Amino acid sequence: MSGDGRAGRGRPRRRRPDKGEPGGSPAAQGGDAGTGKAFEIVRELAVEGSPARLWAALTTGTGGWLWPVEYEPREGGAAPSGGTVTRWDPLQRLTARVEDPDGIPGQTLDELDHVIEPRDGGRRSWLRHVHSGIFTGDWDARYDGVVKHTDFHLHTLGQYMAYFEGRPVAYSALHGPPASTAPDAFARLARALGLPDDATDGARVRVQAAGGELDAVIDFRSRYFIGLRADETLHRFYGRNHFGAPVGISVHDFGAHADAKGTELAWQDWLDHLYG
């Protein structure tokens, strides 16, 4: 892994399947299914850690890089969002499918497929991540939002595997008030943190965080997202105002005295004051 904070950034492979286009997933093969239009997002990346460690990150350790989810460890078992595990090959492949997903507006089908292979004698792993399904409504907007979130989440997976893998975590997540949907809301958040406009990936910064100053490295920065990695935390900032939603924050705290609820309340107060 390089030292510039880019662990886990894969090479994007973007595809926008047309109706009836052959593809590797049921959604790609299904066209619009009469209720929407299919999508498929493919990413491939190498991460630190053996296939066993990556498998654990994808199945039981998601609170360290995404949010806590649970899988029933068998084919046909329960998966997140009311889904079903359709492939359970430990250390090799995990696939889950949700039809008419509750809590995922604008979709009638959602499927995640992960394929794992060892690299460098098992010291590292290669991951092929395929997210497919069917979007309804504004397909272009939904696709754009999911693509951008996919890249950020997978980057965070790389950070987790490189720096925090296997450590207990306290996960907090929250979102801003309605005023944080304004077009300039995420830029305001960056200024409130005290991030210099020219500070990019790899820069060490001292930010004005909830509860006091935070020494961190910028591990990801775009107009849509900011990732800060400190000694014991990953802070993720989401510019969802660009997608018509409030800005969001998640904190993955690996410290010995982590307090998920206290962290959530502190950052919520910070956001409410920023946009109040």
Side-chain angles (χ1 to χ4, degrees), residues 55 58-59 69-90 93-99 110-114:
W55 178 263
L58 295 173
T59 56
V69 300
E70 295 182 1
Y71 291 92
E72 188 177 355
R74 63 179 180 85
E75 289 188 9
S81 301
T84 302
V85 175
T86 57
R87 188 78 177 264
W88 184 270
D89 296 331
R93 190 167 187 177
L94 168 65
T95 309
R97 180 183 178 99
V98 188
E99 297 187 20
D110 193 78
E111 183 175 273
L112 286 174
D113 182 39
H114 297 103

Side-chain angles (χ1 to χ4, degrees), residues 207-240:
V207 301
Q208 305 302 314
E213 292 188 334
L214 176 69
D215 289 316
V217 171
I218 300 174
D219 64 81
F220 193 105
R221 189 173 189 182
S222 71
R223 67 178 298 221
Y224 304 100
F225 307 107
I226 296 170
L228 298 177
R229 186 187 72 246
D231 289 343
E232 294 186 328
T233 59
L234 288 171
H235 284 73
R236 312 285 98 176
F237 301 88
Y238 299 88
R240 295 190 174 120

Side-chain angles (χ1 to χ4, degrees), residues 68-263:
V69 300
E70 295 182 1
Y71 291 92
E72 188 177 355
R74 63 179 180 85
E75 289 188 9
S81 301
T84 302
V85 175
T86 57
R87 188 78 177 264
W88 184 270
D89 296 331
L91 315 191
Q92 297 180 54
R93 190 167 187 177
L94 168 65
T95 309
R97 180 183 178 99
V98 188
E99 297 187 20
D100 295 319
D102 293 331
I104 310 179
Q107 285 187 242
T108 59
L109 175 68
D110 193 78
E111 183 175 273
L112 286 174
D113 182 39
H114 297 103
V115 177
I116 301 171
E117 293 182 3
R119 290 289 188 271
D120 299 333
R123 292 184 298 106
R124 305 180 78 213
S125 298
W126 174 87
L127 173 67
R128 186 174 191 265
H129 167 100
V130 181
H131 185 187
S132 60
I134 296 175
F135 285 142
T136 59
D138 188 341
W139 190 94
D140 287 323
R142 295 190 188 284
Y143 179 85
D144 184 56
V146 172
V147 163
K148 288 181 170 62
H149 279 77
T150 294
D151 290 338
F152 189 42
H153 290 318
L154 291 178
H155 169 79
T156 302
L157 170 62
Q159 294 287 296
Y160 168 73
M161 293 296 295
Y163 296 100
F164 301 106
E165 183 272 324
R167 292 174 57 176
V169 62
Y171 171 79
S172 306
L174 57 142
H175 58 78
S180 69
T181 61
D184 67 341
F186 199 58
R188 287 179 60 189
L189 181 146
R191 290 195 298 270
L193 288 172
L195 290 179
D197 291 341
D198 59 353
T200 57
D201 297 12
R204 184 165 290 278
V205 293
R206 181 176 294 232
V207 301
Q208 305 302 314
E213 292 188 334
L214 176 69
D215 289 316
V217 171
I218 300 174
D219 64 81
F220 193 105
R221 189 173 189 182
S222 71
R223 67 178 298 221
Y224 304 100
F225 307 107
I226 296 170
L228 298 177
R229 186 187 72 246
D231 289 343
E232 294 186 328
T233 59
L234 288 171
H235 284 73
R236 312 285 98 176
F237 301 88
Y238 299 88
R240 295 190 174 120
N241 57 307
H242 295 291
F243 310 107
V247 301
I249 300 176
S250 67
V251 180
H252 310 265
D253 192 336
F254 304 93
H257 304 290
D259 176 7
K261 187 62 177 178
T263 297

